[in-house]
Amino acid sequence: MTDKIKQLRKAKNAIILAHFYQRPEVQEIADFVGDSLQLSAQAAATGADIIVFAGVHFMAETAKILSPQKKVLLPDLNAGCSLAESCDPDSFKKFIAAHPEHTVISYVNTGAEIKALTDICCTSGNALKIVNSLPENEKIIFAPDRNLGNYIKSITGRENMLVWDGACHVHEAFSAERLSALKKQRPEAKTLAHPECKKPVLLLADFIGSTAALLDFTKKDAAQEYIVVTEPGVIFRMQKESPHKTFLPLPGVSAPVSAPADDCGACNDCRFMKLTTLEKICRALEYEQPEILVPETIRKKAEKSILRMLELSK
Ligand code: 13P
Ligand code: SF4
């Protein structure tokens, strides 16, 4: 399977981009693995004719918006995102209309129509920088993640920030109670959390950041053990970069209490991210399907908000 993928990729001048939440074997075959911000920068810069996106729909759509002349393939069209789903264009349009004079900042975890209604996109890796690029008294709408939005609001002290009430099912499933219990069991471990986690969880974290920032922290930090409070796919790369360190996933609230922390069967996979398999990547490359398309009128508007983000995050 891997040989066939490599052969097709070369013959078709294709590139495979994968998010840190992807299955290990998918991360291994990818040309580039990164967080949402790094992946959008790669999608904008690549010279390949075909981009196979081992991630979720909004990521592939972002790649298509940035590189309309390229063929962008998403190996499984069911790879959606519960956070993107929590912000529908009609309600969002009404919300913006009800709050004129606000600058709209949207997380890239949104559909193209939401991006087209947005002034500046952001990711978890640059949200703070994007918000700080605006004058202090600027009125801001931040969508769709309430946890990331409220976290940024709390660290910037910005009162003029309206936060959309959306969330991701994976990060909502982490509880402060479970985390406290695990911290008691492993007192030496540092806690790393993604800003999509709820506030009580974030308050217990030693470091908060995007998947790339969490990974980077584990490479530079001196601790030997970490509790990783985000989708556990990122642990594959952490372990690869720091083979002598221990990484413990935090099981979600629905896992049995008796589940050991290092049993990944009990932890909190993103069911959308894990839909991508080597078989589906191979099929996508072979048949050049399923292809992601974005209507040109929406694409042009959405592109502006993504390019503004890329410009501001330099
Ligand atoms: P990153 O911005 O860290 O890549 O996170 C993307 C995501 O889907 C988080 O749930
Ligand atoms: Fe969406 Fe959450 Fe999955 Fe990230 S982890 S892709 S935000 S559902």
Side-chain angles (χ1 to χ4, degrees):
M1 186 64 68
T2 42
D3 285 348
K4 192 168 174 191
I5 292 173
K6 284 177 186 165
Q7 197 188 321
L8 284 165
R9 170 169 61 188
K10 196 168 173 209
K12 299 195 177 202
N13 188 27
I15 187 173
I16 301 171
L17 302 180
H19 190 267
F20 287 126
Y21 293 164
Q22 290 289 300
R23 296 166 185 270
E25 64 276 19
V26 171
Q27 294 192 39
E28 288 284 55
I29 196 122
D31 296 280
F32 182 82
V33 187
D35 72 354
S36 307
L37 179 60
Q38 296 168 330
L39 290 170
S40 39
Q42 283 289 323
T46 180
D49 295 317
I50 296 178
I51 300 172
V52 180
F53 222 108
V56 292
H57 194 276
F58 75 80
M59 295 177 174
E61 216 176 40
T62 303
K64 184 66 185 177
I65 292 166
L66 289 168
S67 297
Q69 72 290 1
K70 300 194 170 118
K71 194 174 260 187
V72 178
L73 307 173
L74 182 67
D76 189 326
L77 274 185
N78 293 316
C81 168
S82 55
L83 177 55
E85 285 298 310
S86 67
C87 189
D88 76 281
D90 283 344
S91 317
F92 196 52
K93 224 180 265 174
K94 285 184 194 143
F95 187 71
I96 294 172
H99 302 97
E101 295 163 24
H102 282 64
T103 297
V104 181
I105 300 183
S106 298
Y107 201 19
V108 282
N109 299 39
T110 48
E113 279 187 78
I114 299 294
K115 289 188 177 79
L117 296 167
T118 293
D119 295 305
I120 321 173
C121 277
C122 75
T123 72
S124 57
N126 63 15
L128 181 62
K129 200 169 182 181
I130 301 291
V131 169
N132 279 339
S133 74
L134 299 174
E136 233 165 82
N137 56 353
E138 184 104 356
K139 292 178 180 162
I140 297 170
I141 288 176
F142 189 98
D145 190 64
R146 59 173 176 252
N147 296 323
L148 175 65
N150 286 323
Y151 169 65
I152 299 292
K153 194 172 172 175
S154 73
I155 54 175
T156 57
R158 293 202 181 221
E159 290 303 322
N160 282 342
M161 222 172 124
L162 292 174
V163 178
W164 184 264
D165 194 22
C168 145
H169 73 288
V170 174
H171 292 86
E172 283 280 295
F174 293 123
S175 81
E177 292 73 21
R178 279 216 155 182
L179 177 56
S180 300
L182 185 54
K183 278 167 82 80
K184 266 192 205 121
Q185 281 173 35
R186 314 293 280 244
E188 301 299 319
K190 277 192 182 165
T191 297
L192 312 176
H194 195 280
E196 283 174 27
C197 294
K198 292 179 282 190
K199 188 174 179 181
V201 171
L202 294 181
L203 287 172
L204 295 172
D206 296 292
F207 183 74
I208 298 167
S210 74
T211 44
L214 299 181
L215 171 67
D216 199 45
F217 184 86
T218 61
K219 290 198 279 183
K220 294 176 179 156
D221 184 61
Q224 290 303 304
E225 192 168 84
Y226 300 91
I227 299 170
V228 182
V229 196
T230 188
E231 211 275 359
V234 71
I235 291 177
F236 170 69
R237 184 61 179 267
M238 288 173 170
Q239 196 70 76
K240 200 171 166 174
E241 301 276 358
S242 307
H244 305 298
K245 294 188 175 185
T246 303
F247 299 96
L248 304 164
L250 183 69
V253 277
S254 56
V257 181
S258 57
D262 53 0
D263 173 6
C264 238
C267 64
N268 217 359
D269 280 345
C270 171
R271 62 177 182 271
F272 303 113
M273 282 283 182
K274 295 304 195 261
L275 284 175
T276 315
T277 59
L278 290 182
E279 286 79 1
K280 289 179 195 172
I281 290 177
C282 192
R283 218 180 308 140
L285 270 169
E286 192 169 5
Y287 299 105
E288 299 185 20
Q289 289 287 340
E291 186 179 357
I292 299 297
L293 297 168
V294 180
E296 188 58 14
T297 44
I298 293 178
R299 192 200 68 78
K300 271 197 180 140
K301 288 186 196 156
E303 187 183 29
K304 275 192 198 156
S305 60
I306 305 171
L307 289 179
R308 229 177 133 191
M309 165 185 90
L310 292 176
E311 191 54 40
L312 285 170
S313 29
K314 273 181 189 161

